[in-house]
Amino acid sequence: MSDRLETALAKARLKTPENPLGMGLITYLMAGDPDSDTTLRRLTGLVKAGVDILELGVPFSDPIADGPVIQSAGLRALQQGMNLQKILNLTTRFRKENQTTPLLLMSYLNPLIHYGYDRFLTEAYAAGVDGLILPDLPWRESTPFRQRAYELLQDRLAFIPMIAQTSRPDHIHGLAQGQKGFIYVLSRNGITGGDAEIPPQTRQFIDSLQTTLSTPCYVGFGIQSPTQVHTLSQACQGVIVGSALVQKFAELDACALPAHESVHREQDIYTWIGSLRKTSVREELACE
């Protein structure tokens, strides 16, 4: 695990006026939606809003874990010609501005294999990527990929496992053995996005993980309100906000405002993100 990621995870647990719950905050953007320059600007804006860790999606034509919001974002990015090489160029540009905020890539396995796995690992690390989330690569089956990454880079690139409520006990137990970074816990079974309610069984499931795992648990899929974050604050170490954020940016882009006005309106979205760990928030942003 990179020093950047280790430091960010520890810092996110400190209670501050901006983060009174001591909850970590990770946000997701689809790379290249609507274009590379806008993605870079929004990554920087999210950091200024207080986000601890950034997650950047790699668009893929056949996603299995993404809901309609992120599927649409991926399609828009592909239509702009976004690919893995351009994403690594984008992360390199980001690192010229920011050397401290961890950046994770969320990708399906196919683009990495097509690119060349060894080539991808070495170039991703050189570009400043701190970790990978691979939703279509089960943890048990990922051993050869993780071992090859260790041979090339030692522990410098984190592999972030995902746990669902359908995960087998032996799978969860296996993750307890020396896992670094954090665990991505799905708030419910299914695809990204969805209802805002955190079902009682989800809270019970996350509570049960704390008796098995020493690695921090971050909950994603459908996170979009301060009420959710407050509900989860006693059960996990952080949250991941994806579809709700992608949707707000998509709605703003659909307004087709002049560039300077669109940039100005982005500030409302950053304010919303920063407020998720607080007690009140302006939930809706409408085109005016």
Side-chain angles (χ1 to χ4, degrees), residues 235-256:
C236 68
Q237 288 73 43
V239 294
I240 303 166
V241 182
S243 294
L245 176 63
V246 171
Q247 181 64 29
K248 288 184 183 294
F249 278 128
E251 290 171 356
L252 175 58
D253 293 337
C255 294

Side-chain angles (χ1 to χ4, degrees), residues 30 34 58 86 95 98 139 142 154 158 163 189 200 226 258 283:
M30 178 63 72
V58 177
K86 292 180 180 179
R95 280 286 167 245
N98 183 313
W139 191 251
S142 73
Q154 286 71 56
I163 290 181
N189 300 324
E283 292 281 0

Side-chain angles (χ1 to χ4, degrees), residues 18-21 23-27 46 49 51 222-233 239-242 244-245 248 268-283:
E18 293 74 26
N19 182 17
L21 297 173
M23 284 283 279
L25 178 60
I26 300 175
T27 55
L46 290 167
V51 170
I223 305 303
Q224 56 190 279
S225 74
T227 300
Q228 291 173 310
V229 178
H230 188 272
T231 298
L232 292 168
S233 64
V239 294
I240 303 166
V241 182
L245 176 63
K248 288 184 183 294
D268 290 335
I269 299 176
Y270 303 138
T271 298
W272 169 76
I273 277 292
S275 299
L276 286 178
R277 294 187 282 195
K278 300 180 181 179
T279 56
S280 63
V281 64
R282 181 183 174 187
E283 292 281 0

Side-chain angles (χ1 to χ4, degrees), residues 65-128:
D66 296 327
V69 170
I70 293 181
Q71 285 184 32
S72 297
L75 179 59
R76 291 191 295 269
L78 290 172
Q79 290 171 339
Q80 290 291 322
M82 181 54 60
N83 57 35
L84 202 49
Q85 180 64 70
K86 292 180 180 179
I87 292 172
L88 295 179
N89 292 341
L90 176 62
T91 60
T92 298
R93 292 172 62 194
F94 176 76
R95 280 286 167 245
K96 290 180 179 179
E97 301 177 3
N98 183 313
Q99 290 290 326
T100 58
T101 305
L103 194 150
L104 312 174
L105 291 187
M106 185 169 188
S107 176
Y108 294 96
L109 190 58
N110 185 282
L112 310 190
I113 295 175
H114 181 75
Y115 193 79
Y117 190 61
D118 285 9
R119 176 190 173 197
F120 166 73
L121 290 172
T122 54
E123 291 185 9
Y125 172 69

Side-chain angles (χ1 to χ4, degrees), residues 181-215:
F182 66 92
I183 308 293
Y184 192 133
V185 182
L186 278 60
S187 66
R188 65 182 185 286
N189 300 324
I191 56 178
T192 58
D195 298 333
E197 182 181 358
I198 301 293
Q201 62 267 28
T202 297
R203 170 65 189 273
Q204 293 168 7
F205 173 69
I206 299 169
D207 283 339
S208 72
L209 294 177
Q210 303 302 317
T211 64
T212 305
L213 302 174
S214 58
T215 307

